[in-house]
Amino acid sequence: NAGVTQTPKFQVLKTGQSMTLQCAQDMNHNSMYWYRQDPGMGLRLIYYSASEGTTDKGEVPNGYNVSRLNKREFSLRLESAAPSQTSVYFCASSVRTGGVEQYFGPGTRLTVT
Amino acid sequence: QKEVEQDPGPLSVPEGAIVSLNCTYSNSAFQYFMWYRQYSRKGPELLMYTYSSGNKEDGRFTAQVDKSSKYISLFIRDSQPSDSATYLCAMSTPNQAGTALIFGKGTTLSVSS
């Protein structure tokens, strides 16, 4: 039981490049989330998926797209990376939205130069 | 005003001290109040939660909620160097469809031996 896994762990991009962050959970959770964490800003929700087949914007969705590929997988895509997207990205899952316990992955450290 | 306010610290205490961590909030609809712990370069993990008002104790940790004041606290007794981490409060309204957790910015705690 691996919980929530994220790939890659580290990534450096040049401005304008694109990439997809992958996330998978093996806990049969319905809801999945993408957050970014920046110094002094805390965890900010980018997008979430309440259940398979649905996605919704969070607090900071601009510049990102997501895909809920199936119940296990939820990917985050940066189409044209900008330096402002330099951050640590966390994927999380929970039984349902608003549920008490979210399980977080180990994070992806992204630097955009 | 942000929905959840948390003093980022940092907070430095000697081993054995009692630590008090706090958050204030503005949304009276919040029902679940959570504390997550995040070690350096790791994802957050749920430490404990309370529903509505009252206290909850788990070993050296006590969570308190005062809904009348919109104020929550986490107390750590006999603090240990292993408690050094960032503590994030989080809140939710589980009966409201489509909502996710709202996190505070986190307080960084350092316990010295």
Side-chain angles (χ1 to χ4, degrees):
Chain A
N1 187 344
V4 179
T5 56
Q6 292 183 236
T7 55
K9 287 187 168 49
F10 302 92
Q11 185 70 51
V12 178
L13 291 178
K14 293 188 186 327
T15 297
Q17 288 185 319
S18 62
M19 78 163 295
T20 300
L21 282 64
Q22 306 287 354
C23 174
Q25 53 91 8
D26 62 4
M27 295 172 284
N28 202 34
H29 285 168
N30 292 305
S31 302
M32 298 185 73
Y33 314 83
W34 277 105
Y35 293 90
R36 60 177 290 174
Q37 188 173 40
D38 304 288
M41 300 298 291
L43 277 167
R44 292 184 292 170
L45 184 65
I46 305 171
Y47 271 92
Y48 68 98
S49 171
S51 60
E52 187 178 355
T54 69
T55 60
D56 284 286
K57 295 178 181 179
E59 181 183 355
V60 289
N62 290 345
Y64 305 95
N65 285 302
V66 291
S67 295
R68 183 75 183 264
L69 304 169
N70 48 55
K71 191 171 186 179
R72 290 187 64 246
E73 298 173 288
F74 189 37
S75 63
L76 178 72
R77 183 160 178 83
L78 286 71
E79 291 291 350
S80 179
S84 61
Q85 294 178 306
T86 293
S87 187
V88 181
Y89 291 85
F90 288 102
C91 177
S93 70
S94 66
V95 173
R96 56 179 175 81
T97 55
V100 168
E101 185 159 18
Q102 290 189 7
Y103 293 81
F104 285 80
T108 294
R109 293 183 176 274
L110 175 67
T111 301
V112 183
T113 61
Chain B
Q1 181 189 9
K2 295 281 284 184
E3 278 194 291
V4 179
E5 301 277 3
Q6 184 176 10
D7 186 339
L11 184 60
S12 296
V13 301
E15 183 175 357
I18 296 174
V19 176
S20 172
L21 305 168
N22 311 293
C23 288
T24 59
Y25 63 94
S26 58
N27 187 349
S28 58
F30 288 140
Q31 291 292 326
Y32 283 98
F33 303 90
M34 290 140 276
W35 287 96
Y36 279 76
R37 179 174 60 194
Q38 184 177 20
Y39 290 113
S40 181
R41 295 184 172 266
K42 301 288 187 184
E45 57 181 354
L46 181 68
L47 188 60
M48 59 193 304
Y49 74 93
T50 53
Y51 174 71
S52 194
S53 285
N55 295 358
K56 187 171 185 178
E57 187 173 323
D58 183 0
R60 296 184 294 109
F61 298 88
T62 300
Q64 285 186 354
V65 175
D66 182 349
K67 293 193 77 178
S68 62
S69 302
K70 296 190 178 67
Y71 188 88
I72 70 169
S73 301
L74 178 70
F75 297 96
I76 307 174
R77 292 187 302 279
D78 187 24
S79 56
Q80 302 294 310
S82 58
D83 296 327
S84 298
T86 296
Y87 291 80
L88 303 104
C89 62
M91 306 179 189
S92 75
T93 52
N95 295 323
Q96 185 175 343
T99 58
L101 299 184
I102 308 298
F103 284 88
K105 293 181 180 180
T107 300
T108 300
L109 171 66
S110 177
V111 182
S112 57
S113 57

